[in-house]
Amino acid sequence: MSKRILPLAAMEHLLKKKSSAVRVSNSAKEALRDILEEIGQEIGEKAVRLANHSGRKTIKDIDIKLAHKS
Amino acid sequence: MSKRILPLAAMEHLLKKKSSAVRVSNSAKEALRDILEEIGQEIGEKAVRLANHSGRKTIKDIDIKLAHKS
């Protein structure tokens, strides 16, 4: 299921950002990685379509932001 | 705005997953990183509350999954 693109250590860092006292299981890090990779890929697909629609082959930040909103 | 937790190279990897022919600007990678870090932190906050609610100090995958759904 996971594409294993995002590092697990970064997942722990994100989860502890607001409450550093908490402990984080490995399964929790993997679950968060799966979710963020899924969202990232969905945004990527939409952004590619938006860039192509504008006659560009390069994805810009405006494509990412619009893809995220829709 | 960005917490710079997730690596930019991983953002490019995610964006190119479905269409490798595309090019990705740096601003696009940074925009995606901001979005995913924001989402990751939000899920983290909710997951901590859910774990505490269950009398645990350790975040498990079930907390992440429920936090993502809500």
Side-chain angles (χ1 to χ4, degrees):
Chain A
M1 186 61 190
S2 175
K3 298 100 202 168
R4 293 164 189 245
I5 291 170
L6 301 175
L8 281 188
M11 299 302 103
E12 180 161 7
H13 199 145
L14 279 176
L15 290 170
K16 285 188 168 178
K17 197 77 190 176
K18 287 287 168 65
S19 45
S20 52
V22 83
R23 279 176 297 180
V24 179
S25 75
N26 258 318
S27 66
K29 296 176 211 171
E30 286 166 7
L32 183 61
R33 175 170 66 183
D34 284 352
I35 291 167
L36 293 185
E37 291 185 350
E38 187 80 27
I39 294 170
Q41 260 188 260
E42 281 171 18
I43 290 176
E45 283 179 73
K46 287 182 191 170
V48 169
R49 282 199 296 271
L50 290 166
N52 288 341
H53 183 70
S54 303
R56 283 182 279 102
K57 284 183 179 172
T58 304
I59 302 180
K60 292 184 176 178
D61 57 342
I62 47 172
D63 303 314
I64 300 291
K65 286 168 186 167
L66 182 56
H68 176 50
K69 275 181 198 162
S70 65
Chain B
M1 184 64 190
S2 175
K3 298 99 202 168
R4 293 165 190 243
I5 292 170
L6 300 176
L8 281 188
M11 299 303 102
E12 179 161 9
H13 200 144
L14 279 176
L15 290 170
K16 286 187 169 180
K17 197 78 188 174
K18 287 286 168 66
S19 44
S20 52
V22 83
R23 280 177 297 180
V24 179
S25 75
N26 259 319
S27 65
K29 296 177 211 170
E30 286 165 6
L32 183 62
R33 175 170 65 183
D34 284 352
I35 291 167
L36 293 186
E37 290 186 350
E38 187 79 28
I39 294 170
Q41 261 188 259
E42 281 171 19
I43 291 175
E45 283 180 72
K46 287 182 191 169
V48 169
R49 282 199 295 271
L50 290 167
N52 289 340
H53 183 70
S54 302
R56 283 182 278 105
K57 284 184 179 171
T58 304
I59 302 180
K60 292 184 177 178
D61 58 341
I62 48 173
D63 303 314
I64 300 291
K65 286 168 187 168
L66 183 55
H68 176 50
K69 275 181 197 162
S70 68

